[in-house]
Amino acid sequence: MDHFQLRDGIVHCENVPLPRIAEAVGTPVYVYSSATMRRHARVFREALQPLTNPLVAYAVKANPNAAVLATLAREGLGADVVSGGEYARARAAGTDANKIVFSGVGKTADEMKRALAGGLCQFNLESIEEARMLSDVARSLGQKAPAAFRINPDVEAGSHAKISTGAAHNKFGLPIADALEAYRQGRGLPGLAVRGVAVHIGSQLTSLDPLERAFTKIGELIRALRADGHTIATADLGGGLGVPYNPAQPPPPSPADYGAMVRRVTEGWDVRLIFEPGRLIVGNAGVLLTRVIRVKPGLLHPFVIVDAAMNDLMRPSLYDAWHAIEAVVPAGERRVANVVGPVCETGDTFATARHMDRVEADDLLFFRTAGAYAATMASTYNSRPLTPEVLVDGDQWAVVRARLDVEALIAADSIPYWLQP
Ligand code: LLP
């Protein structure tokens, strides 16, 4: 459920009509609903009951805006971070250090040092080589770093190939067959306290089966590790639960179904469970608001050219992702059209032959499910400044990332002395 609804013929975000934001801030602009984020955080938590003291560490990569992080920190969520930058953002937004999990396939010594200095729940290590580096860094600070190994369970997630991570040929985690040896070596590293296992097999999963297969393997591994004398106190089950994008397709499993599966599979594990949901929390809490520049005729269908482009929302061009596109003030008439941005690539296509609201130049459209992996993946390609972001909470709204103008982009470059006139 989300809070972008038609009211008196105009789509609102909570109590704020979207045209009000478009007029004040300009377009394109991302708009986030606080109520939707809070609701999703609560629904996920409720789905996990009655697990004892699970840690829900929101995957910051999905949407790292400071206002989003502050909203979720107030809800008591922790953070799953994958870079020094994400760690710093989470701390700056008020996330409790003890609720931060540091994942990521290529942590640097500097990133490890910063996280150890600031404190965290645990590092999820992806190799024995990384474990050695962390041990050295922790020792140099006189600490023992809390850690888990991320296991690659060799399970096909069944999601888009670019966002599946749990198959043996993917770059992520330790092969499950090497796990016992890695934990043995990890135990011998003086700067490490290895006390957990972690797994994450991919994103936008629309079936619970691959997750269940992966978790079952993790359960077996925990038993084998304990039999080998290791203390296993945490099991991080990652994120990955899909959200609905296309209402014509069957909805993904609900958080309640996911929670029930997790409780069944992890029965008797005797660990603190950690979860890293990203998309589930913020995906449907955001829209990208855009204005139609013009409509031009096409061979088969008209091209609706909007002022948002692939640089603002990469998902359609990168993963062939489907986002609902609707008029902010629907007139009732519909037609088939292509929706494209102004960037000079055919890949800058949001929808082809889409049955959608009829719109004309200057009308407002919005892309749904643009709260996750949207603003954060934007670039300035074609010298288009990054899209601003707005947070709504009831009747209130605020710009939570300003629109930087082209002058700021130009000012970030410099012309070397030998090219100066
Ligand atoms: N934990 C780890 C270690 C991850 O790599 C990810 C996502 C998550 C948690 C959160 O997964 P979620 O609950 O959001 O599915 N840019 C792509 C998605 C990339 C996901 C990367 N990892 C997209 O737009 O679909």
Side-chain angles (χ1 to χ4, degrees):
M1 204 217 113
D2 64 62
H3 295 75
F4 297 90
Q5 309 288 347
L6 200 57
R7 229 194 262 174
D8 302 327
I10 301 172
V11 176
H12 286 58
C13 176
E14 304 188 25
N15 298 332
V16 181
L18 289 181
R20 190 181 299 165
I21 294 172
E23 272 143 38
V25 187
T27 51
V29 54
Y30 280 99
V31 182
Y32 305 133
S33 156
S34 306
T36 309
M37 286 190 269
R38 287 192 203 111
R39 189 187 132 80
H40 291 172
R42 286 172 198 173
V43 165
F44 190 73
R45 275 232 187 95
E46 278 161 23
L48 299 176
Q49 276 172 9
L51 291 177
T52 31
N53 192 27
L55 170 60
V56 180
Y58 162 68
V60 170
K61 63 171 79 67
N63 188 327
N65 185 284
V68 169
L69 298 183
T71 303
L72 297 175
R74 282 199 187 192
E75 280 298 304
L77 264 53
D80 165 53
V81 305
V82 294
S83 68
E86 287 192 352
Y87 179 87
R89 272 181 179 271
R91 294 293 288 133
T95 306
D96 189 342
N98 295 322
K99 294 182 180 172
I100 297 184
V101 174
F102 205 132
S103 305
V105 81
K107 301 172 208 68
T108 65
D110 189 52
E111 288 175 319
M112 292 171 178
K113 210 174 279 175
R114 282 163 194 260
L116 281 170
L120 80 168
C121 169
Q122 69 181 35
F123 289 94
N124 288 346
L125 298 173
E126 301 241 353
S127 63
I128 190 68
E129 291 77 6
E130 188 180 40
R132 285 196 199 101
M133 178 189 267
L134 178 60
S135 174
D136 290 347
V137 171
R139 280 232 300 172
S140 74
L141 298 173
Q143 293 189 25
K144 250 185 184 310
F149 277 113
R150 174 172 175 180
I151 305 301
N152 183 321
D154 194 17
V155 167
E156 291 286 351
S159 186
H160 190 283
K162 285 185 184 158
I163 55 175
S164 293
T165 54
H169 60 85
N170 295 139
K171 67 175 173 175
F172 297 96
L174 269 168
I176 192 158
D178 300 346
L180 273 179
E181 179 54 29
Y183 279 83
R184 278 181 197 156
Q185 291 192 31
R187 187 161 48 190
L189 292 171
L192 281 197
V194 182
R195 45 125 211 232
V197 291
V199 68
H200 170 81
I201 61 167
S203 194
Q204 186 55 18
L205 269 62
T206 52
S207 162
L208 293 179
D209 295 348
L211 288 167
E212 179 163 351
R213 266 182 276 134
F215 299 167
T216 303
K217 288 189 177 190
I218 294 298
E220 287 160 9
L221 177 64
I222 292 173
R223 275 190 291 279
L225 289 170
R226 285 185 175 147
D228 204 31
H230 299 279
T231 303
I232 301 297
T234 65
D236 183 336
L237 301 183
L241 194 55
V243 304
Y245 280 88
N246 185 342
Q249 294 196 340
S254 68
D257 294 343
Y258 172 84
M261 181 273 285
V262 165
R263 288 197 303 274
R264 178 164 48 76
V265 176
T266 63
E267 173 112 54
W269 281 17
D270 191 23
V271 289
R272 182 184 195 199
L273 289 177
I274 302 173
F275 299 88
E276 304 171 350
R279 194 186 315 259
L280 190 76
I281 306 293
V282 292
N284 283 307
V287 300
L288 172 59
L289 186 55
T290 183
R291 202 177 280 283
V292 178
I293 299 174
R294 70 181 61 86
V295 180
K296 79 170 194 175
L299 189 59
L300 294 175
H301 309 292
F303 288 100
V304 174
I305 305 166
V306 296
D307 65 3
M310 64 187 286
N311 69 296
D312 304 298
L313 178 64
M314 297 247 305
R315 302 195 69 261
S317 59
L318 204 51
Y319 318 113
D320 294 316
W322 195 101
H323 284 259
I325 308 172
E326 296 169 31
V328 170
V329 187
E333 213 184 319
R334 293 173 68 81
R335 72 169 158 196
V336 178
N338 305 320
V339 181
V340 300
V343 159
C344 296
E345 290 200 25
T346 301
D348 185 23
T349 297
F350 291 118
T352 305
R354 179 72 65 90
H355 192 68
M356 61 181 287
D357 295 320
R358 186 186 179 99
V359 283
E360 305 298 344
D362 285 334
D363 287 347
L364 289 170
L365 282 173
F366 69 105
F367 295 79
R368 284 194 186 265
T369 324
Y373 306 112
T376 184
M377 290 173 66
S379 76
T380 58
Y381 186 42
N382 276 210
S383 290
R384 296 167 49 86
L386 291 180
T387 327
E389 293 163 275
V390 161
L391 182 71
V392 175
D393 191 353
D395 301 321
Q396 327 176 67
W397 66 274
V399 175
V400 293
R401 188 174 69 195
R403 189 187 301 281
L404 296 181
D405 56 17
V406 174
E407 280 62 43
L409 275 185
I410 297 171
D413 294 355
S414 52
I415 297 176
Y417 67 89
W418 65 88
L419 293 175
Q420 301 279 354

